[in-house]
Structures are given as C-alpha cells and as structure tokens.
Amino acid sequence: MSAEPVGDESNDLVPLLDECYGLVTGAVSYLGPRDLLRATHLEAWTVQDLLFHQLLDAQRALMAFAQPIEDSADTDAVSYWKGFTRQTSPEEEAAHARYVRLSAAAYGPGDGLVRHWTDLSTAALNAAHRTPPAVRVRTQGHVLTARDFVHTLVVEASVHYLDLTVRLDAAPPPMRGLSLVREVLEGLLASPLPARWDDVEAALKGTGRVELSAEDRQDLGYLAGGFPVFG
C-alpha cells in the first residue's frame, strides 16, 4: 500500500499511518457479509459502519493533502483534539449513526465497501507521502502542518482499529500508534496517565470505550472528572 516519498522532506509519521491503514485493510479484506455486521466497541456501529466512517477519514485526508494552503497553523497534534472533548447530544449521535448505517448499507452485501476503502486509503497515503511535513492543510475547521495532520490521522486510526477488531480475528494493534494516543491524552490532561495502564488500556479508557474503575478514579483523583478525554 505504501508509496515512495518525493523529495528530501518526507513526513516521518506517514509510514506509521501506512501501517495503521494497512492493518485495517488486512482485518476486513476477507470478511464475509455476516462478519461485516459484527459489533464493535462503538455501541451503534457494526464493522461495516465503522469501516465507512474510516473511509470518510481517508477521503478527508485526500482532500486536505490535495489543497495545501498558506494560512498559519492554528492548532497542533494535541490541541486539535480539544474540539472532540465535549460529548454530542444523544440526538446528534443518533442522527450521525443513522447516516453512517444507511451509507454503509448502500454498498450492498458484497465487498464494494472494502474495495472503496482500500482505494481511498491508498490514494490518501500516496498524497501524504508526497506532502512535505511543514506544508499547512485545512481540516475540520482548523489549519495545521501536514505532520501534525498525519499525527491526528494515526491517533484516530489506532483507536478505531481497537474498535473495529474487538470481535474479529485480526493482527495485533499498532502499538506505535497507540503510544501517540497516550501522548495526546496526557497532553490534554497536562498530566501522565497511571503507569499501570498499558497503551491499549490508556486508549480505551481515555476515549471512553471502557469505564474507569474505582481504582482508576483513586489513582487519577480530580483528573477523573475530565474523562473521557476525547471521544
């Protein structure tokens, strides 16, 4: 799936994004229609639904890399996630879940969605390899460097890989990507997470996939009130 970078100024995080997207492709490539309907960590979404959501991320990435801008960056790889710390209303969540469900179902029972994901993610990676890290791009209403943008894509892909594969026989998660998730969580909290948490546990608890235990709350103290840190 990878492409050769162009020029001397390559983005050092793009190979990690390549790994994350490759893991997703490997996890879904041989799934049958029933497997695509398996549950994920996200209550409202099946594997098929979540794959469509990730397809939208790859599409967003491709569009951003294709339109570099001259504006100054207004966010970075950590502060970008501040916009995702507030929980949406149940009505908004339900509306988005319906959109994702209907859109994913429109591909039918075959492998059309998997092929579309594979094509779009490959195109996004090709564009990422060719974009110097200091170039600025716009996404989600923010401007950030290409390197920071790739960082956000790795974080999202790493968390969603945990979501996607919770009931699938799949390769282990991208641990380097999950270390970036922990980096974001600790950056937003301005405090380290409990040392007894490995990076998988940190990602699941930090993003609200798994509830905090009483021991967790004791370890975190007042910081527990800030969970989930982002979702």
Side-chain angles (χ1 to χ4, degrees):
M1 181 178 288
S2 62
E4 289 299 318
V6 174
D8 296 329
E9 293 185 337
S10 60
N11 188 330
D12 62 307
L13 291 179
V14 176
L16 183 50
L17 182 63
D18 203 332
E19 176 189 349
C20 293
Y21 281 4
L23 283 170
V24 173
T25 301
V28 301
S29 288
Y30 302 103
L31 297 182
R34 291 177 64 87
D35 292 320
L36 288 169
L37 296 178
R38 288 179 181 270
T40 68
H41 261 306
L42 302 174
E43 182 178 354
W45 290 358
T46 64
V47 168
Q48 178 176 265
D49 300 334
L50 183 53
L51 183 61
F52 177 77
H53 173 77
Q54 293 186 270
L55 181 151
L56 293 179
D57 274 337
Q59 177 178 274
R60 176 170 61 87
L62 179 59
M63 293 171 64
F65 288 127
Q67 303 176 82
I69 61 176
E70 297 297 326
D71 298 14
S72 299
D74 61 21
T75 193
D76 60 28
V78 173
S79 61
Y80 168 85
W81 293 101
K82 290 181 179 179
F84 299 89
T85 56
R86 298 181 182 86
Q87 297 298 302
T88 56
S89 69
E91 294 78 15
E92 290 173 319
E93 289 183 352
H96 183 62
R98 282 195 298 273
Y99 166 72
V100 169
R101 175 65 53 85
L102 291 171
S103 299
Y107 284 86
D111 63 352
L113 177 57
V114 173
R115 284 187 283 107
H116 195 187
W117 152 260
T118 302
D119 290 345
L120 261 179
S121 61
T122 299
L125 286 166
N126 287 339
H129 275 288
R130 287 167 167 76
T131 304
V135 165
R136 273 96 64 200
V137 299
R138 188 184 302 277
T139 188
Q140 305 278 35
H142 288 289
V143 176
L144 64 172
T145 67
R147 186 183 189 279
D148 282 346
F149 181 41
V150 172
H151 191 294
T152 70
L153 294 171
V154 169
V155 166
E156 181 144 10
S158 299
V159 174
H160 281 327
Y161 188 75
L162 297 178
D163 295 330
L164 187 77
T165 59
V166 65
R167 288 178 174 82
L168 296 179
D169 182 14
M175 296 311 298
R176 291 187 301 153
L178 290 172
S179 71
L180 296 191
V181 178
R182 189 184 197 110
E183 175 184 300
V184 169
L185 293 167
E186 294 183 336
L188 291 173
L189 287 170
S191 177
L193 295 170
R196 60 184 175 81
W197 289 2
D198 64 18
D199 289 344
V200 171
E201 187 173 9
L204 292 175
K205 292 184 175 180
T207 61
R209 270 68 174 173
V210 173
E211 293 291 329
L212 297 177
S213 67
E215 183 181 7
D216 294 332
R217 293 185 178 279
Q218 183 174 2
D219 288 348
L220 290 164
Y222 75 92
L223 292 175
F227 278 66
V229 184
F230 69 89

